[in-house]
Amino acid sequence: METSSIFDPFNAGLYFLTPVPLCLKTMATFLQNGLTFFEKKINLLIVDDDAIVRDSLSGIFVSPLFNISTTSSWAQACDTIEKSQGPWHCWIVDIDLGKGQCGLDLLSRYPEFKYTIVLSGLGRMSLAAEAIRLGAAMVFDKDPLSIEPLHDKVCKTAALGFLLNGKRCAHIELFQILFDETITTIEEWARRGCIELRKLHRICELYPPLTPNYALALYRAVYCLLRNP
């Protein structure tokens, strides 16, 4: 992967893009750890056998936070994934990769990775349920491909992958609640997840250095920076 440049969250207006009330202690932690996070890139992998689609998708995600890699086959994707020196934060994978290759095989090979957007052409949407079962965050019909919804969903998924460092997460559905932009407090987050606030704290502690406030603030900030570069 290419060497990433340091991205300055202050110049990006990080404070103004974070609609989450933070106590002073949480803000101090956010700044201390957030700066370390923002020295990294968000690694996005696009897997599609159509060069035009690969180029088109690459041109959609213009945030300087993105580090984009593209491959045209299942074998190339596996090779790229395994040779990466850093974590992956989001994959965009076409179901039909040509020559009998199926993009869902990538999900089967890496079942712990829950930050994948699957693209499906006409006649392949019957595999959507299977893609979700295998852990895909969302399935989009690429004939025609709705760019705006796809862009938004990828930004949300990539922000979550960045928050959790692309790692396996046994509580992924709880964190996916953050996709809802109406969630602005940890109390709302806990209520939506049907859990007590203290349990939310305990779950976040499993993914250091996260706390509920810090996780919510960092996710919102990263999403806004990706969505509005």
Side-chain angles (χ1 to χ4, degrees):
M1 284 189 183
E2 62 184 23
T3 303
S4 61
S5 58
I6 295 178
F7 190 84
D8 185 354
F10 295 104
N11 291 337
L14 180 59
Y15 301 124
F16 303 102
L17 291 173
T18 310
V20 180
L22 300 176
C23 66
L24 292 178
K25 183 177 180 180
T26 302
M27 178 61 79
T29 303
F30 179 75
L31 293 178
Q32 180 180 2
N33 294 304
L35 284 174
T36 301
F37 275 125
F38 277 92
E39 290 175 358
K40 304 175 183 178
K41 288 279 191 174
I42 292 183
N43 296 318
L44 173 65
L45 176 64
I46 299 173
V47 186
D48 198 298
D49 62 318
D50 189 326
I52 295 178
V53 173
R54 292 197 305 274
D55 292 343
S56 297
L57 290 176
S58 296
I60 295 172
F61 306 102
V62 297
S63 169
L65 278 177
F66 276 122
N67 177 42
I68 301 175
S69 299
T70 63
T71 64
S72 61
S73 68
W74 182 87
Q76 287 181 359
C78 291
D79 187 61
T80 300
I81 290 168
E82 293 173 6
K83 288 184 177 179
S84 172
Q85 296 181 354
W88 291 98
H89 303 112
C90 184
W91 300 341
I92 304 175
V93 180
D94 187 12
I95 283 184
D96 187 357
L97 295 175
K99 299 180 180 179
Q101 299 179 91
C102 181
L104 296 188
D105 291 338
L106 201 63
L107 278 68
S108 298
R109 178 160 181 165
Y110 302 99
E112 71 283 356
F113 192 81
K114 303 298 183 182
Y115 316 98
T116 304
I117 306 295
V118 171
L119 303 181
S120 176
L122 290 174
R124 289 283 184 169
M125 288 305 289
S126 60
L127 294 176
E130 178 66 8
I132 297 298
R133 187 189 70 79
L134 290 172
M138 180 65 70
V139 179
F140 279 88
D141 186 353
K142 62 183 293 187
D143 296 320
L145 185 61
S146 299
I147 298 301
E148 182 62 24
L150 174 62
H151 180 265
D152 183 68
K153 189 62 177 181
V154 169
C155 289
K156 288 179 176 177
T157 303
L160 185 59
F162 188 65
L163 180 70
L164 296 170
N165 207 30
K167 294 181 178 179
R168 180 175 184 175
C169 177
H171 306 90
I172 191 66
E173 292 181 356
L174 177 64
F175 283 96
Q176 286 175 339
I177 292 174
L178 297 178
F179 289 170
D180 186 343
E181 296 177 41
T182 65
I183 303 296
T184 58
T185 68
I186 61 173
E187 289 78 15
E188 292 174 6
W189 183 10
R191 281 196 297 271
R192 186 68 63 85
C194 299
I195 60 175
E196 295 181 354
L197 190 57
R198 60 182 179 180
K199 184 174 182 180
L200 179 60
H201 277 274
R202 288 199 299 269
I203 290 174
C204 285
E205 288 172 356
L206 298 174
Y207 309 95
L210 298 185
T211 65
N213 271 317
Y214 178 44
L216 181 54
L218 184 57
Y219 170 80
R220 284 281 177 259
V222 174
Y223 166 67
C224 287
L225 289 171
L226 294 178
R227 190 73 176 80
N228 306 288

